Amino acid sequence: MDYKIAICDDEQNQIKYLSGLVKSWAGRCGYTVRIVPFLSAEAFWFQYEEEKDYEILLLDIEMEQMNGIELATKLRADDETIQIIFITGYPDYIAQGYEVAALHYLMKPVCAEKLSEVLNRAVRKLHKKERSILVWCDKDCRRILIHTIVYVEVFSHKVTIYTTDHEYNTKRSITEMEELLGGDFIRCHRSYLAGLKHIARMTKNAVVFEDGRSIPLSRGAYHMANQAFIQYYKEPYIEETGRTDR
């Protein structure tokens, strides 16, 4: 597998050190990596507007002018796929890391073993985001990326798949759709499957998505759905200081 990885830090020696760790990780795993260094957030953003194919970003927080949090906020408004790994000497920005869906928060000096673990997790998430299903819509076979599916509504054997920007109609049972989509979806009602990735919150009788749409949540499914939602976002966020409260 090939990965394009950006390292953004205003210290040249830190970029060199992190590049070495990334190359060692890639060599052990059999990956090919293209590492692109940036000495400022502005430099990265200027290049990103021309080339939006970066998959992993190692991002220092404490930089002059635009800092790492500000860059990550701009980036998330445009790209939800890139895996952001914060690199910093201060544990003061953890809460802001939640807001930009950072994958992890590593303290300087970065440990090679810890960075390898986080890069492995980044790769798994990238692969998960590219999973897709094939469905027949009328006479056409369509490929739908699973990470774009917000929810699925089933009535009899007619299925409507609602993605972030389209609707697709096909014929399947809700059990077939549940097996096809896998564990990142929950059956919140006898007629609905909800994508955990897109859920903003749950009430006692509804699942509310980030774009404002909502679907019914049956009373019998509430406990299971709520636990699945919590577990989905329960990966450890910071380990170096003993915190596991992501």
Side-chain angles (χ1 to χ4, degrees):
M1 297 294 293
D2 299 338
Y3 296 101
K4 187 175 180 180
I5 300 176
I7 300 177
C8 186
D9 195 298
D10 58 2
E11 297 181 13
Q12 187 67 55
N13 61 341
Q14 184 69 12
I15 289 178
K16 184 177 180 180
Y17 173 68
L18 291 172
S19 296
L21 296 184
V22 171
K23 289 176 182 177
S24 296
W25 163 78
R28 290 193 303 272
C29 296
Y31 300 140
T32 300
V33 292
R34 178 188 172 194
I35 300 172
V36 187
F38 297 93
L39 285 169
S40 70
E42 292 83 359
F44 173 83
W45 185 252
F46 179 81
Q47 187 66 26
Y48 172 80
E49 289 188 309
E50 299 294 324
E51 300 177 8
K52 299 191 177 186
D53 58 347
Y54 294 93
E55 293 159 303
I56 299 172
L57 170 62
L58 303 182
L59 178 59
D60 185 27
I61 292 180
E62 300 84 16
M63 291 185 288
E64 295 182 0
Q65 297 181 345
M66 187 192 300
N67 64 34
I69 296 293
E70 292 169 335
L71 173 59
T73 301
K74 291 183 67 172
L75 191 56
R76 272 290 172 258
D78 187 69
D79 186 345
E80 63 178 28
T81 303
I82 187 170
Q83 300 300 301
I84 300 173
I85 302 168
F86 281 131
I87 309 290
T88 184
Y90 303 94
D92 301 330
Y93 299 91
I94 298 174
Q96 291 165 288
Y98 300 148
E99 297 171 6
V100 294
L103 176 66
H104 206 84
Y105 190 107
L106 291 172
M107 297 293 293
K108 296 179 181 179
V110 174
C111 168
E113 182 179 354
K114 292 293 185 184
L115 179 59
S116 293
E117 291 174 4
V118 178
L119 289 172
N120 286 336
R121 196 193 310 167
V123 167
R124 289 195 298 270
K125 282 186 172 289
L126 287 168
H127 288 178
K128 183 183 291 186
K129 289 178 183 294
E130 289 304 315
R131 289 175 53 227
S132 61
I133 59 173
L134 295 176
V135 297
W136 284 95
C137 303
D138 296 323
K139 296 182 180 181
D140 297 327
C141 186
R142 301 289 184 90
R143 175 177 177 260
I144 304 174
L145 292 174
I146 289 179
H147 80 270
T148 67
I149 300 174
V150 180
Y151 68 96
V152 174
E153 181 181 12
V154 181
F155 180 75
S156 185
H157 285 279
K158 180 183 177 182
V159 172
T160 303
I161 300 170
Y162 296 88
T163 70
T164 51
D165 53 4
H166 290 290
E167 295 180 15
Y168 301 92
N169 294 305
T170 188
K171 290 184 178 181
R172 286 181 182 268
S173 69
I174 193 166
T175 301
E176 289 174 328
M177 289 302 302
E178 200 169 14
E179 293 174 353
L180 192 62
L181 294 173
D184 288 345
F185 286 76
I186 54 170
R187 191 166 178 170
C188 56
H189 183 278
R190 65 183 181 181
S191 300
Y192 292 90
L193 298 172
L196 289 165
K197 175 183 183 297
H198 297 280
I199 296 174
R201 59 189 175 90
M202 290 186 187
T203 69
K204 288 294 184 180
N205 55 20
V207 175
V208 182
F209 298 103
E210 292 173 340
D211 62 6
R213 287 182 283 183
S214 65
I215 58 176
L217 174 59
S218 65
R219 184 163 57 180
Y222 174 79
H223 179 73
M224 177 276 296
N226 193 51
Q227 288 300 307
F229 179 49
I230 292 170
Q231 190 63 38
Y232 185 77
Y233 289 99
K234 204 176 180 181
E235 288 181 304
Y237 184 63
I238 180 167
E239 298 172 0
E240 286 68 25
T241 61
R243 293 283 295 278
T244 57
D245 54 346
R246 181 177 180 184

